[in-house]
Amino acid sequence: MNTQMILNEIQHLDPYKRYGKVDRVVGLLIESKGPEARIGEVCYIHTKKKDEKIKAEVIGFYDEKVLLMPYSSLHNIGAGCLVEATKNALQIKIGRGLIGKVLDSTGHMLDGSHLPKGLKLFPTEQAPPNPLQRPRIKSPLQIGVKAIDAMLTVGKGQRVGIFAGSGVGKSTLLGMIARNSSADINVIALIGERGREVKEFIERDLGPEGLKKSIVVVATSDQSALMRIKGAYTATAISEYFRDLGYEVNLMMDSVTRVAMAQREIGLAIGEPPTTKGYTPSVFAMLPSLLERTGTSMNGSITAFYTVLVDGDDFNEPIADTTRGILDGHFILDRSLAEKGQFPAINVLKSVSRVMPQIIPKERLDVVQKIRTLLARYEDNEELIQIGAYKRGSNPVVDQAIQLQPSILNILKQDMDDKCDDETAITQLEEIARRSHS
């Protein structure tokens, strides 16, 4: 930095610290008289306990008061506590040294240890890239899950929603993708998870093989709504940092529904009117601004997988419907398939990869359409087939579907620890298509 730049910095330096005072606490909110601050700015609240400062964020203004929400609990905060403005939004430290580490929503080590050296500050909130600066998705990404690579091919930079009810295998599928994918690095956001499930996911679903090329960001269900939202923004910012370095990144967020629920909590706390199923307007504004940040850039790509919880297996509830409209495809995990022992329980007939026709040859697309037709015909006649009411020879296509159903199911099934490259999956698919023509 030369002398002129240093002088410019000094001229723009504000030597004053600005303070306000806590006026009252209402539910999740802290109302403060001052300080001068802006939306998204981080403030420190000096509590009644000696030398304790609680980090909070400005989320709104009302009647000349500043509305703050703390990142941690409200303990020891009382009327008259000083509120110190920092003039900065939340920034985290990012670098290659984070690979293999587990972080909290503010970018600190979850186990309380010190961050590695050599990291640089990076803001968690970024604007989505200019649409004209996004290269088109032209090449497939190997996922390592046969059903996806063969029937629902994903492109580098595609954004996919994984829609499922509880206990249908979302976390297991994410672990398989993290271990088997050809991406350079995984960024995994566990938002609103039970505390017990965090270690289970890291040790069982992700495993040492997956963790060594992953960064995990955790915000458990017992943490504040603000921390849960920041977990999603922190994971997205880490993905953007590595994308800018030229990496092919997988971002996996479990789940975007809990991010929306956290935003609903904040919206209701500051007085937003509830709309569809109690969700506030800010939820439907936040979702596209968050999800559009991933995808391709001039340097690298972020292929994103967002899990969406569907209450009562209702795939048309507001968050599922909104998310499906934003993303570039959706995978439906079907409870009935899981009950039959098919894992991963992906219903390929109800699932769509919107960029698939652009990234695979037409000959292979024809093969996939042929297999989908056979699957659909079998499903339409399954009840008749199971009770023995279908008579062979009645319909040649149904006859083919019955004959090839075990081979098709072999592609759609995969053990959690099995690794399969995309070429093997495609070869198996083409073999089934050849048999259907014979």
Side-chain angles (χ1 to χ4, degrees):
M1 186 179 288
N2 60 36
T3 306
Q4 187 58 47
M5 290 176 69
I6 294 171
L7 290 172
N8 288 338
E9 288 287 328
I10 292 171
Q11 284 177 355
H12 291 93
L13 186 66
D14 186 354
Y16 294 100
K17 283 190 176 181
R18 288 171 169 79
Y19 292 91
K21 280 189 177 182
V22 171
D23 187 51
R24 69 172 185 160
V25 177
V26 184
L28 304 172
L29 281 182
I30 299 166
E31 292 185 8
S32 167
K33 291 180 178 177
E36 182 184 322
R38 63 185 186 277
I39 295 287
E41 184 173 327
V42 174
C43 294
Y44 288 111
I45 301 171
H46 297 255
T47 70
K48 300 294 185 181
K49 193 175 178 181
K50 188 179 179 182
D51 298 329
E52 183 186 44
K53 293 193 295 186
I54 290 178
K55 193 181 285 186
E57 185 172 306
V58 179
I59 60 170
F61 304 96
Y62 174 74
D63 197 20
E64 298 186 4
K65 291 180 183 175
V66 180
L67 304 181
L68 301 119
M69 184 168 283
Y71 289 106
S72 55
S73 67
L74 295 165
H75 293 310
N76 300 320
I77 295 176
C81 287
L82 286 178
V83 180
E84 177 188 344
T86 65
K87 305 173 206 161
N88 294 311
L90 181 66
Q91 292 185 312
I92 57 171
K93 291 184 177 180
I94 309 179
R96 292 182 179 89
L98 292 182
I99 299 173
K101 301 292 191 290
V102 183
L103 311 174
D104 67 11
S105 297
T106 56
H108 294 95
M109 298 289 289
L110 192 64
D111 60 7
S113 60
H114 294 293
L115 285 168
K117 293 182 179 179
L119 308 180
K120 61 189 294 186
L121 283 172
F122 196 81
T124 58
E125 297 202 28
Q126 305 270 354
N130 186 308
L132 296 181
Q133 293 176 350
R134 288 183 184 270
R136 289 179 56 199
I137 299 170
K138 295 182 179 179
S139 56
L141 177 73
Q142 178 181 303
I143 300 300
V145 178
K146 289 190 293 183
I148 297 175
D149 285 334
M151 301 290 291
L152 298 162
T153 309
V154 172
K156 293 176 183 176
Q158 186 174 350
R159 301 160 304 146
V160 179
I162 300 174
F163 293 73
S166 56
V168 189
K170 298 183 300 298
S171 297
T172 303
L173 179 58
L174 290 182
M176 291 174 69
I177 295 171
R179 292 193 309 275
N180 301 340
S181 167
S182 62
D184 300 320
I185 185 172
N186 303 306
V187 180
I188 303 169
L190 303 179
I191 310 298
E193 289 283 352
R194 303 175 188 91
R196 171 186 63 81
E197 293 180 333
V198 172
K199 202 164 186 180
E200 276 187 16
F201 176 83
I202 293 169
E203 294 183 356
R204 185 192 66 185
D205 296 327
L206 189 58
E209 183 185 352
L211 184 59
K212 70 183 181 184
K213 68 167 190 173
S214 302
I215 300 170
V216 183
V217 179
V218 176
T220 51
S221 57
D222 60 293
Q223 292 181 297
S224 68
L226 189 60
M227 283 290 275
R228 279 175 271 148
I229 290 176
K230 288 302 169 186
Y233 279 87
T234 294
T236 305
I238 293 171
S239 303
E240 290 170 321
Y241 173 84
F242 284 100
R243 177 180 64 184
D244 293 345
L245 292 180
Y247 285 82
E248 289 173 7
V249 183
N250 275 351
L251 170 64
M252 286 166 271
M253 190 177 294
D254 185 16
S255 71
V256 73
T257 307
R258 293 193 182 110
V259 178
M261 288 177 174
Q263 181 62 42
R264 176 174 64 182
E265 283 183 46
I266 293 174
L268 291 172
I270 62 175
E272 280 190 78
T275 54
T276 314
K277 285 202 172 179
Y279 288 102
T280 55
S282 61
V283 174
F284 302 103
M286 177 270 295
L287 283 174
S289 67
L290 175 63
L291 303 185
E292 284 289 345
R293 286 169 60 179
T294 56
T296 57
S297 78
M298 301 304 290
N299 299 316
S301 66
I302 302 173
T303 307
F305 299 89
Y306 298 99
T307 68
V308 182
L309 291 168
V310 284
D311 294 333
D313 294 337
D314 175 14
F315 292 91
N316 295 314
E317 60 94 28
I319 300 305
D321 204 37
T322 302
T323 308
R324 189 166 51 238
I326 297 168
L327 300 176
D328 309 316
H330 53 271
F331 300 161
I332 304 294
L333 300 189
D334 196 323
R335 192 176 298 279
S336 64
L337 296 179
E339 289 168 352
K340 293 176 185 176
Q342 179 180 319
F343 290 100
I346 301 172
N347 188 325
V348 296
L349 293 178
K350 293 180 180 178
S351 303
V352 174
S353 172
R354 288 181 182 155
V355 304
M356 185 176 176
Q358 306 165 27
I359 59 176
I360 64 171
K362 186 180 182 305
E363 301 77 29
R364 219 187 101 206
L365 192 61
D366 292 340
V367 169
V368 171
Q369 294 294 355
K370 175 69 175 176
I371 302 301
R372 289 176 74 96
T373 300
L374 293 173
L375 266 175
R377 286 301 179 92
Y378 185 90
E379 190 175 286
D380 290 342
N381 296 273
E382 187 171 13
E383 287 187 11
L384 293 174
I385 295 165
Q386 294 298 331
I387 64 175
Y390 175 76
K391 185 178 179 181
R392 296 260 179 155
S394 302
N395 187 317
V397 179
V398 178
D399 291 344
Q400 272 189 351
I402 295 169
Q403 179 190 349
L404 297 174
Q405 184 70 5
S407 300
I408 296 172
L409 283 181
N410 186 51
I411 288 181
L412 302 182
K413 283 184 178 180
Q414 187 172 339
D415 288 338
M416 189 174 80
D417 297 323
D418 285 353
K419 186 171 183 177
C420 179
D421 60 70
D422 53 351
E423 290 185 6
T424 302
I426 293 162
T427 302
Q428 291 177 1
L429 199 70
E430 290 172 343
E431 175 59 29
I432 294 171
R434 279 195 292 272
R435 287 169 58 192
S436 70
H437 290 299
S438 59

